[in-house]
Amino acid sequence: MIVCVAVVGHQNNPLYIQSFTEADDALKLHHMVHCSLDVVDERVNNPKKSGPTLNETFLGLLYPTENYKVYGYLTNTKVKFIVVTTDLDVRDADVRNFFRRFHAAYVDAVSNPFHVPGKKITSRAFAERVSTIVKSFGLSSAG
Amino acid sequence: MIGVGKIKQYSNVLDKPLAKGKQEVSLSAFAFLFSELVQYNQTQVDNIAELERRLEDAGYAVGARVLELLCHRDKGNRRETRLLGILSFVHSTVWKVLFGKVADSLEKGTEHEDEYMISEKELLVNRFISIPKDMGTFNCGAFVAGIVRGVLDSAGFPAVVTAHFVPMEGQQRPRTTILIKFAEEVLRREARLG
């Protein structure tokens, strides 16, 4: 199940971080999200020509640690979505699907004329949609 | 359970996903809104340059959001990193979504390496606008220039974008040209990518 999602802007400033466990290691999750930003930058700046195609939005597994897996997704405007999950067997298609819905919620939040690009996302509707998507991710991959 | 196995019915229209939807907005509604926008800004400023800058800033906000929206809707859309890629994206996709047709032409400037021009016989936003003589070279296309600047800036290609009238022989109404001047770093990066 997903323990943390984060939206990071193009200057690596955090726009939205939300953790979904009752445990108190929110700081550790924030730290992992921060470290994974380096991996994203490295993938973007040194594309492996033989690897995944250049300019792909879904970056895939960024790095696995002992308990967690971190996935990344990059949009057209260099805004990054980072997802930390504890599942050991997560299907690629599930994560892509999750990112697609997350991207839809993000576009909706940004289209708000009162949202200043570059500032944190404060919309409650966005927070609710994200928690709905996160909950349904757990169900679809278990079922 | 209701909805299982069928298309999900949304009880609230706000819950519907951000699908393509009806593409069209009535031109008169937009022209009315745009004329109000210009008039509102006119009461707030003292000179033409400030009015142009305000329209451009309004367009910039639109451009940033349009880029996010288009990248999400065209599911296979890759991130553009090349200059020509982003220019043709603006010239066809963005224009098609905003104005219902692709722009008339895209040209590379002859004097400077970093200048490109998108031309249009008549900008949709200027359709119902006539500029009084004492406003000189003011062009409400500054709004569209702002949109283009918003798209380019959010995609990582900082540029200075302006709108100009270009008189054409043989036609009474001048053609509108959006002039795009890219920043130094964009050209350096383009040269490095080869």
Side-chain angles (χ1 to χ4, degrees):
Chain A
M1 55 162 263
I2 294 191
V3 297
C4 180
V5 297
V7 179
V8 181
H10 69 98
Q11 280 154 348
N12 285 349
N13 48 326
L15 296 177
Y16 181 78
I17 291 193
Q18 181 69 45
S19 46
F20 294 100
T21 56
E22 313 77 19
D24 49 354
D25 45 2
L27 202 57
K28 186 168 98 171
L29 296 171
H30 288 198
H31 177 249
M32 280 176 56
V33 166
H34 199 258
C35 295
S36 58
L37 293 178
D38 283 337
V39 182
V40 172
D41 278 338
E42 174 197 307
R43 290 255 182 114
V44 164
N45 291 334
N46 310 326
K48 302 184 281 288
K49 295 279 177 13
S50 59
T53 38
L54 207 55
N55 305 339
E56 172 93 21
T57 46
F58 177 64
L59 299 171
L61 186 63
L62 294 180
Y63 70 75
T65 58
E66 69 281 0
N67 297 333
Y68 305 106
K69 286 183 174 184
V70 182
Y71 286 90
Y73 181 97
L74 184 69
T75 68
N76 239 11
T77 47
K78 302 240 177 134
V79 171
K80 312 165 188 54
F81 301 150
I82 310 281
V83 143
V84 181
T85 170
T86 52
D87 275 339
L88 294 175
D89 54 346
V90 176
R91 281 198 307 255
D92 204 37
D94 282 341
V95 184
R96 281 182 195 260
N97 195 21
F98 173 84
F99 274 128
R100 201 172 43 81
R101 293 158 78 187
F102 193 71
H103 196 171
Y106 172 72
V107 169
D108 280 346
V110 165
S111 306
N112 181 0
F114 296 109
H115 170 257
V116 178
K119 291 268 161 56
K120 289 195 187 249
I121 299 180
T122 50
S123 150
R124 259 176 318 148
F126 177 69
E128 281 167 20
R129 272 180 79 171
V130 168
S131 41
T132 314
I133 299 176
V134 165
K135 285 197 191 74
S136 65
F137 176 81
L139 291 174
S140 70
S141 64
Chain B
M1 204 157 58
I2 301 175
V4 162
K6 300 184 202 152
I7 300 174
K8 195 138 163 264
Q9 298 292 329
Y10 292 101
S11 55
N12 189 354
V13 69
L14 294 171
D15 288 333
K16 285 201 182 133
L18 194 69
K20 288 252 166 156
K22 244 176 82 119
Q23 297 273 29
E24 294 128 23
V25 171
S26 86
L27 176 63
S28 32
F30 172 72
F32 184 54
L33 184 65
F34 188 64
S35 84
E36 273 308 306
L37 181 72
V38 174
Q39 283 176 47
Y40 172 75
N41 283 320
Q42 218 173 359
T43 57
Q44 307 237 321
V45 302
D46 311 321
N47 54 34
I48 307 287
E50 186 67 23
L51 181 59
E52 263 196 34
R53 203 184 60 80
R54 279 190 171 229
L55 279 186
E56 235 202 271
D57 286 343
Y60 183 85
V62 174
R65 289 168 172 87
V66 156
L67 180 62
E68 283 280 356
L69 193 64
L70 287 183
C71 167
H72 177 256
R73 272 189 191 164
D74 290 347
K75 305 223 166 35
N77 210 1
R78 302 284 182 251
R79 200 164 60 86
E80 307 285 346
T81 45
R82 305 307 305 259
L83 200 70
L84 283 184
I86 190 72
L87 277 175
S88 60
F89 173 74
V90 167
H91 168 269
S92 26
T93 315
V94 175
W95 236 256
K96 195 143 177 58
V97 162
L98 291 179
F99 305 122
K101 64 185 203 44
V102 302
D104 283 345
S105 65
L106 169 66
E107 292 149 15
K108 189 166 149 55
T110 40
E111 301 118 43
H112 302 277
E113 270 307 307
D114 52 355
E115 283 184 1
Y116 289 82
M117 295 167 298
I118 295 185
S119 322
E120 184 85 37
K121 197 152 141 245
E122 178 163 18
L123 274 182
L124 197 74
V125 304
N126 279 346
R127 196 99 147 237
F128 299 116
I129 295 186
S130 61
I131 316 278
K133 282 279 183 333
D134 55 352
M135 294 189 86
T137 52
F138 173 62
N139 188 344
C140 287
F143 183 66
V144 177
I147 296 181
V148 174
R149 188 167 72 91
V151 172
L152 290 176
D153 215 22
S154 307
F157 294 84
V160 173
V161 187
T162 46
H164 303 277
F165 281 124
V166 172
M168 299 278 295
E169 329 79 50
Q171 285 166 14
Q172 0 138 265
R173 288 185 71 98
R175 205 167 62 147
T176 312
T177 297
I178 313 273
L179 182 67
I180 305 171
K181 197 171 165 67
F182 285 102
E184 253 312 304
E185 55 177 71
V186 176
L187 297 168
R188 278 205 298 264
R189 188 175 69 201
E190 191 65 19
R192 210 177 60 220
L193 284 174

